[in-house]
Amino acid sequence: EFDMALKSFETSLAINSENTTSILGIGVIKFEQAKFKEARKYYEKALTIDKASYWGNFNIALLNLLEGDDAIGWKSFEERDKDQYLSHYGGSAIQEIFKENISRNSNQKIVILREQGFGDDIMFSRYLKPLKNLGYDITFACSPELKGFFRLSPDLDDIELTSSIPDTKIFDYRAFLMSLPWLMSDFQKLRLNDPLRVDFSRFKEKDLQIKSSVKKLVNTKKLKIGLAWSGSPKHLRDLNRSIDLKLLKNIFETSNVEFFVIQKVYKENDIKFLKKLKNVHDCTDHLKDFMHTAYFIDKMDMIFTVDTSLVHIAGTMNKKTFLFLPKVPDYRWGLKNNQEWYPSVSLLRQEKVSDWKKPIEDCQKIIKNSLSSSS
């Protein structure tokens, strides 16, 4: 409720002009309205009052990354709250490695820790092989749900994958996965444009126990489109990135297309809506882990998704993918019409804040052109 929030913060500042929470609050409102210069002004104002303000520094780091200033952005990003992940996953007893400690041919043992979402694990795992090439003996304490998917990558063959942190006495250092761009920046580019390589010949479909009825569905000769319109409702910016399912109604009415919902569907209204559509198949019950997600992605002709882990798996698998983006996206996607992280991913960006009209129209055109070219 931006209007009400703004009035509240302004009232607060009328009482105390140096209330940093209210100053930062207005900055966040300006940020979400895509008024980035104004947002920065408020963030910096908060820092003149409290130089150590966590949210002042962190918000500026995210803004720098969003605007493409990687050098300053990744350095500032190191000030994020890592302790919360140490307390959740473990590893605090191991010494943290810093940029000045990184060297070639050290042969030191280092454990890389996960911290944020599944998409982050997939996206930043591309930095593991370059770190290995510097001479480190690496253990990656990844999400257990992703171990199977990561084993499809030859880039991780020489890296030990575990879902828990082993005996801490064997490690010289620890680092968080999302710190690797900054830690290795003296040896390589901050932004690596090549995702993990995936060798799909390693994929053992029989181990997934896919039902024959599902196999029959995905082997249709019609255009097959994988779809995700929402992510985890616990995400801080879920209202920004998710789309009301009913807005996609016209897309579902396209003839000669079979849609496959490659996300978990939780909302009762969404479940009822989907049941009315004969050409839309809800894969919720079949998505037992990310290997099942990979199975469905492999069978699709293309993917349309909001900013969830699906875009990262599809991009890593080099599947033609279209990403629905809000006007103000997550920092990694930047503000340009294209992105550099995944060659197979194209952006469908909002023209106006909270308005999905243009991305959905673009989606319809893409589907229509695909049908025309295949006929």
Side-chain angles (χ1 to χ4, degrees):
E1 298 291 343
F2 285 162
D3 291 341
M4 181 62 73
L6 183 59
K7 289 178 182 178
S8 300
F9 290 136
E10 288 174 342
T11 302
S12 168
L13 291 176
I15 298 169
N16 176 8
S17 62
E18 294 193 346
N19 185 309
T20 55
T21 300
S22 297
I23 294 169
L24 289 169
I26 295 177
V28 169
I29 290 172
K30 299 298 183 183
F31 177 85
E32 294 294 355
Q33 293 173 335
K35 299 175 181 177
F36 302 122
K37 288 183 180 180
E38 293 182 53
R40 186 181 294 275
K41 181 181 72 174
Y42 280 97
Y43 296 159
E44 290 176 345
K45 182 178 179 181
L47 290 175
T48 62
I49 298 169
D50 179 9
K51 186 185 296 185
S53 167
Y54 172 78
W55 286 108
N57 286 294
F58 187 65
N59 287 350
I60 284 181
L62 295 181
L63 182 53
N64 286 331
L65 288 171
L66 178 66
E67 293 183 330
D69 191 343
D70 286 353
I72 294 176
W74 287 117
K75 181 180 180 181
S76 303
F77 193 65
E78 282 302 286
E79 300 304 317
R80 66 195 181 279
D81 180 11
K82 303 173 187 174
D83 290 345
Q84 60 178 311
Y85 304 110
L86 290 175
S87 62
H88 191 67
Y89 298 120
S92 58
I94 310 169
Q95 182 180 348
E96 182 175 3
I97 195 168
F98 297 102
K99 183 178 177 182
E100 57 268 24
N101 304 129
I102 299 291
S103 62
R104 293 187 188 276
N105 304 317
S106 68
N107 296 314
Q108 291 172 313
K109 292 182 179 292
I110 185 169
V111 59
I112 306 300
L113 310 176
R114 68 186 187 273
E115 50 181 301
Q116 299 187 32
F118 295 125
D120 299 305
D121 283 1
I122 298 164
M123 182 175 187
F124 289 90
S125 58
R126 70 187 67 197
Y127 289 89
L128 293 170
K129 182 176 174 61
L131 182 62
K132 176 72 177 180
N133 291 341
L134 287 178
Y136 288 92
D137 183 350
I138 301 175
T139 295
F140 179 27
C142 64
S143 304
E145 295 91 338
L146 284 169
K147 282 178 69 176
F149 181 74
F150 283 140
R151 288 194 173 113
L152 299 179
S153 175
D155 292 340
L156 302 182
D157 283 349
D158 296 326
I159 292 169
E160 183 177 348
L161 299 176
T162 181
S163 55
S164 61
I165 299 175
D167 185 357
T168 58
K169 295 178 183 178
I170 69 172
F171 294 109
D172 299 295
Y173 289 110
R174 64 168 162 86
F176 281 104
L177 184 66
M178 296 175 72
S179 291
L180 295 186
W182 174 248
L183 292 177
M184 294 190 289
S185 58
D186 286 343
F187 298 91
Q188 61 174 44
K189 295 188 301 181
L190 280 159
R191 189 178 295 240
L192 294 182
N193 299 340
D194 298 323
L196 283 181
R197 292 179 299 147
V198 172
D199 180 1
F200 219 68
S201 67
R202 301 183 180 190
F203 190 88
K204 294 180 174 58
E205 185 177 312
K206 60 180 176 61
D207 293 343
L208 299 185
Q209 299 180 337
I210 302 293
K211 293 181 179 179
S212 57
S213 58
V214 175
K215 291 181 180 180
K216 185 177 179 180
L217 274 178
V218 297
N219 285 323
T220 177
K221 293 183 179 180
K222 292 183 180 180
L223 186 69
K224 297 183 291 292
I225 294 178
L227 183 70
W229 63 87
S230 65
S232 170
K234 296 180 181 179
H235 192 281
L236 285 174
R237 300 183 76 236
D238 185 58
L239 288 176
N240 302 67
R241 67 173 182 170
S242 293
I243 301 175
D244 184 343
L245 178 57
K246 292 183 177 63
L247 294 177
L248 305 178
K249 182 177 182 294
N250 290 340
I251 292 174
F252 294 140
E253 292 175 351
T254 309
S255 301
N256 297 317
V257 179
E258 298 288 334
F259 293 92
F260 293 81
V261 178
I262 311 181
Q263 67 163 76
K264 298 283 188 178
V265 183
Y266 299 106
K267 295 180 181 178
E268 192 64 34
N269 287 341
D270 287 352
I271 295 171
K272 290 180 180 178
F273 182 81
L274 292 174
K275 286 182 177 178
K276 298 176 184 178
L277 304 169
K278 293 183 179 180
N279 66 329
V280 182
H281 312 287
D282 182 2
C283 302
T284 295
D285 294 339
H286 309 296
L287 299 175
K288 302 186 187 309
D289 58 28
F290 284 106
M291 291 299 280
H292 289 84
T293 302
Y295 168 82
F296 282 104
I297 291 173
D298 180 58
K299 300 297 183 182
M300 297 298 108
D301 295 300
M302 63 182 71
I303 302 289
F304 287 89
T305 179
V306 293
D307 187 7
T308 71
S309 57
L310 179 59
V311 69
H312 297 283
I313 300 178
T316 300
M317 291 173 61
N318 201 34
K319 179 65 66 173
K320 182 190 290 187
T321 302
F322 298 91
L323 174 60
F324 291 115
L325 274 189
K327 176 74 172 177
V328 182
D330 187 84
Y331 68 88
R332 75 197 72 209
W333 304 116
L335 297 171
K336 299 177 182 178
N337 291 328
N338 52 19
Q339 55 77 41
E340 300 173 341
W341 294 105
Y342 299 103
S344 67
V345 174
S346 301
L347 306 182
L348 305 180
R349 192 188 295 274
Q350 288 180 349
E351 290 185 332
K352 300 176 183 178
V353 173
S354 301
D355 185 354
W356 289 108
K357 181 180 178 182
K358 179 66 162 55
I360 291 173
E361 287 178 349
D362 290 340
C363 173
Q364 289 176 290
K365 291 176 183 176
I366 291 166
I367 295 173
K368 183 179 179 180
N369 290 337
S370 296
L371 288 169
S372 298
S373 61
S374 61
S375 61

